[in-house]
């Protein structure tokens, strides 16, 4: 799956916004029904590589979600004009940051950074978007340095699973083994990645 991995500076800002937002959502619900999700990467479902109008990419026939290698990543890097992380949103039991990738040819691809989900469907969160706007003064964010990748995301596992907790602690510095109650952990694997630097 095509993925954009934010730089560690952006990841810290995302993590802080995630923690504050989920804390507020749980407070509004009156119980801990929102749990964080990791990694905080932008996933682009149904990504059409032909959006970049590149010879290398077009050879795939514009296939959606086809795995790609380092050569194709280089082609993508040259086609990218900007990457923006939008104001966090709550929809259908998910807390996420919208993400948009603009290409030099004027095309764009939309994805999202899934940062949390509601485990209790009966909990009320009808006023979350309006009440949370003042928390998001740093958004939208135009990112200058990030990685593009072909990555796989695995199934969620409960954090009280000891092996899941160990994996999270090893792979994500934002999650401490002693503080994982209620967190849903996902496994991930990067097949290929490349750093991208764009102007503001």
């Amino acid at each position: 799956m095509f993925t954009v991995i934010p730089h560690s500076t952006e990841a810290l800002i995302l993590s802080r916004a995630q923690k504050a937002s989920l804390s507020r959502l749980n407070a509004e619900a009156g119980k801990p029904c929102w749990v964080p999700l990791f990694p905080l990467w932008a996933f682009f479902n149904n990504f059409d590589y032909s959006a970049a109008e590149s010879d290398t990419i077009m050879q795939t026939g514009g296939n959606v979600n086809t795995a790609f290698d380092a050569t194709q990543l280089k082609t993508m890097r040259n086609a990218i004009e900007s990457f923006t992380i939008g104001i966090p949103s709550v929809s259908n039991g998910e807390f996420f940051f919208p993400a948009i990738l603009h290409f030099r040819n004027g095309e764009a691809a939309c994805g999202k950074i899934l940062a949390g989900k509601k485990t209790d469907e009966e909990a009320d969160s009808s006023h979350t978007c309006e009440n949370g706007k003042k928390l998001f003064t740093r958004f939208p964010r135009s990112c200058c340095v990030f990685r593009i990748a072909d990555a796989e995301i695995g199934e969620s596992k409960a954090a009280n699973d000891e092996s899941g907790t160990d994996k999270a602690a090893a792979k994500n510095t934002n999650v401490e083994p002693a503080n994982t109650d209620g967190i849903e952990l996902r496994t991930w694997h990067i097949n290929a990645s490349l750093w991208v630097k764009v102007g503001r």
Side-chain angles (χ1 to χ4, degrees):
M1 182 183 299
F2 182 70
T3 308
V4 175
I5 303 173
H7 186 271
S8 56
T9 303
E10 310 297 340
L12 180 60
I13 292 168
L14 289 171
S15 179
R16 287 176 176 167
Q18 175 195 46
K19 183 177 180 180
S21 299
L22 295 182
S23 193
R24 177 181 51 78
L25 287 169
N26 282 326
E28 287 184 0
K31 55 183 173 179
C33 59
W34 287 88
V35 295
L37 293 175
F38 299 97
L40 297 177
W41 296 351
F43 290 98
F44 292 78
N45 291 324
N46 302 317
F47 182 74
D48 187 352
Y49 303 140
S50 65
E53 289 185 353
S54 154
D55 291 340
T56 303
I57 293 170
M58 289 300 286
Q59 286 173 8
T60 68
N63 290 337
V64 174
N65 283 342
T66 302
F68 56 104
D69 58 23
T71 301
Q72 291 170 310
L73 283 174
K74 287 178 183 176
T75 303
M76 290 298 299
R77 177 185 62 187
N78 295 335
I80 294 171
E81 183 174 54
S82 67
F83 172 59
T84 304
I85 300 173
I87 298 172
S89 300
V90 174
S91 178
N92 298 322
E94 293 182 344
F95 171 73
F96 62 93
F97 299 84
I100 187 162
L101 199 60
H102 288 280
F103 297 100
R104 298 186 190 283
N105 64 5
E107 295 291 326
C110 297
K112 67 180 177 181
I113 300 171
L114 186 57
K117 78 173 191 176
K118 186 164 60 170
T119 58
D120 185 349
E121 294 301 323
E122 296 179 2
D124 182 24
S125 59
S126 56
H127 302 292
T128 53
C129 292
E130 285 184 27
N131 294 343
K133 284 185 180 176
K134 53 186 154 184
L135 289 173
F136 308 135
T137 56
R138 291 186 165 198
F139 297 93
R141 294 192 64 80
S142 180
C143 305
C144 292
V145 180
F146 50 90
R147 277 197 296 164
I148 55 174
D150 178 33
E152 299 171 19
I153 192 79
E155 295 294 323
S156 298
K157 293 183 179 180
N160 54 12
D161 174 3
E162 189 173 332
S163 62
T165 302
D166 293 342
K167 285 179 184 177
K171 290 191 174 187
N172 191 321
T173 57
N174 296 323
V175 181
E176 298 175 7
N179 193 23
T180 55
D181 288 344
I183 296 176
E184 288 214 7
L185 307 176
R186 301 184 292 177
T187 58
W188 57 87
H189 176 73
I190 298 174
N191 299 315
S193 72
L194 189 69
W195 283 101
V196 179
K197 185 175 181 180
V198 295
R200 285 195 179 272

